[in-house]
Amino acid sequence: MSTTPTDPDLPMLRVPGMRALFWMSLFGFAGYALLLPTAPLWATRGGADEGGAGLVNAVLMLATVAVQTTVPWSLRRWGWRATLITGVLLLGLPSFALMLTDQLAGILAVSAVRGAGFAILTVCGASAVASLVDATRRGRAIGVYGLAVAAPQLFLVPSAAWIAESIDFRVVFVLGAAPALAVPFAAALGRRLDDIASGGLDTGDEARPGRGRMLLALALPSLVLLAVTTPGGALLTFAPQFRHGSTVAVLGLLGFTAAAALSRWLVGGPADRFGPSRFIPPLLVLCAAGLALCAWSLTEAGPGPAVLVAGMTVVGVAYGSLQNLTLVTAFAAVPDRDRSIASAVWNIGFDTGTGLGSLVVGFIAAGAGFPVGLLTTAGLCLAVAVAALVGGAGRRATPE
């Protein structure tokens, strides 16, 4: 599959297919963001403890990771249009089923089905960016795509739990079906990408590394992504349960998601100009520092809630920036024909980290408290920062 050349002066949302991708992603991630903090809270209403609540998003991400490995095959077998429509329906429609039960087993089943849809949305969305836009503008294109991904989280993650508790959980569950409204955009984008695929599919002339070598090249960006999404998943899942109360949780999540959205967008230009690798280790250290602030604020003798909000905002800067930088790095590491594989591996790193944050920090918190859980993820960030310096971040990834 070849990327369609585009006018370098053309605004990003006027590139054919980018507007449909933007709206499909906006609706899709709206449903994801609404249920990310609400479904675990719904489980606690049904009698689940912190560990059970953590399982809700862990199962979502486990199903996502399992299905992501099959998405490249689905694109080859069924094409973009059918795959994308299936994805948004699987992500959206099961939200209605949550109105039928607050028992953990039923919620986990819904999470598994939604995870399959989320797998399709994430792999196809990231891969679509690389198919629609030339490599020289890929960082900026990923930034625009990142706005569509992050904007729903900016507004809906902080408010979803408040809406559920102050108005009604059923309101959130109805709104959580929003991905199903993206079917027209998924169909339009799918037609565009199917046309690109049929016009530029693999000619056989491009040099292709072995599968093992390609996966090795993708290992470092995936590890970096896992390191930053593990604490990100923990904050998104457990902020409503932190000791400072619901208002502070909303402010902290607002700071986290706003910083993530803006940094993912703004880092695209520097990534295109200088290459992404030089920014990765400092951002991992920044993430660890923000997590240390969060952990400090949650101790009995710690400072006030303002430090928690500040710490979550700092983590958001690293969280958003590293999403963009690692995706640019992943696409640069593989031939064009293997972009869907790069997208799948990148998304597996993202969703594995989010699931680990929910699961591991939940179980640590049940025994030792949230400060210990967050400091554990800070240590992971520092370890991966060292690995990035020693294992290849010194090699500057330059634009193609």
Side-chain angles (χ1 to χ4, degrees):
M1 183 188 303
S2 63
T3 303
T4 301
T6 56
D7 181 351
D9 297 322
L10 192 66
M12 199 58 67
L13 285 178
R14 293 185 61 188
V15 172
M18 280 295 293
R19 189 167 295 174
L21 173 62
F22 183 90
W23 286 108
M24 182 193 74
S25 302
L26 195 72
F27 278 106
F29 276 86
Y32 167 79
L34 280 161
L35 295 185
L36 194 66
T38 309
L41 192 60
W42 185 234
T44 64
R45 290 295 181 92
D49 62 8
E50 289 89 347
L55 277 174
V56 174
N57 286 338
V59 167
L60 173 73
M61 293 307 162
L62 179 63
T64 299
V65 169
V67 175
Q68 280 169 340
T69 62
T70 71
V71 174
W73 172 87
S74 177
L75 292 174
R76 293 191 299 269
R77 179 67 178 84
W78 304 110
W80 283 88
R81 186 171 181 269
T83 301
L84 285 171
I85 291 173
T86 300
V88 295
L89 290 176
L90 287 175
L91 179 58
L93 294 181
S95 181
F96 291 119
L98 291 173
M99 290 189 284
L100 304 177
T101 181
D102 62 0
Q103 296 303 296
L104 183 60
I107 296 171
L108 294 180
V110 170
S111 293
V113 177
R114 293 181 63 246
F118 191 58
I120 294 171
L121 181 70
T122 51
V123 172
C124 291
S127 184
V129 174
S131 297
L132 296 171
V133 181
D134 295 327
T136 55
R137 303 179 73 198
R138 197 165 284 165
R140 280 160 286 183
I142 291 171
V144 171
Y145 167 67
L147 278 181
V149 169
Q153 297 180 65
L154 169 61
F155 296 106
L156 298 179
V157 169
S159 59
W162 179 87
I163 293 171
E165 294 187 304
S166 302
I167 303 176
D168 197 312
F169 276 87
R170 288 172 293 185
V171 173
V172 179
F173 298 152
V174 170
L175 295 175
L181 299 176
V183 166
F185 303 109
L189 176 63
R191 282 194 297 270
R192 173 65 180 166
L193 292 168
D194 282 332
D195 288 343
I196 293 174
S198 63
L201 202 60
D202 184 13
T203 63
D205 296 329
E206 185 179 19
R208 187 176 193 180
R211 179 63 60 92
R213 184 175 177 183
M214 183 168 56
L215 293 177
L216 184 62
L218 293 170
L220 183 59
S222 298
L223 181 63
V224 170
L225 191 65
L226 183 146
V228 76
T229 53
T230 296
L235 293 176
L236 290 168
T237 299
F238 295 114
Q241 301 175 44
F242 288 164
R243 64 187 291 263
H244 293 301
S246 59
T247 301
V248 174
V250 168
L251 291 174
L253 287 170
L254 184 62
F256 175 84
T257 52
L262 289 173
S263 60
R264 185 169 181 174
W265 173 43
L266 294 174
V267 81
D272 286 338
R273 183 176 180 184
F274 300 109
S277 295
R278 70 183 67 201
F279 302 107
I280 289 175
L283 283 166
L284 285 167
V285 174
L286 182 69
C287 186
L291 289 165
L293 287 176
C294 293
W296 183 32
S297 75
L298 295 177
T299 61
E300 291 296 333
V307 174
L308 175 63
V309 175
M312 291 179 68
T313 303
V314 170
V315 174
V317 172
Y319 182 80
S321 298
L322 287 169
Q323 287 177 47
N324 187 317
L325 298 172
T326 52
L327 186 54
V328 172
T329 303
F331 284 139
V334 301
D336 282 351
R337 62 189 282 183
D338 292 316
R339 280 193 299 257
S340 63
I341 295 175
S343 177
V345 171
W346 182 87
N347 277 287
I348 286 170
F350 184 100
D351 297 320
T352 299
T354 303
L356 281 175
S358 176
L359 182 64
V360 174
V361 173
F363 279 107
I364 292 175
F370 284 116
V372 176
L374 294 178
L375 287 175
T376 301
T377 64
L380 174 64
C381 288
L382 293 175
V384 174
V386 173
L389 284 171
V390 173
R395 296 196 309 268
R396 301 291 184 238
T398 56
E400 296 174 358

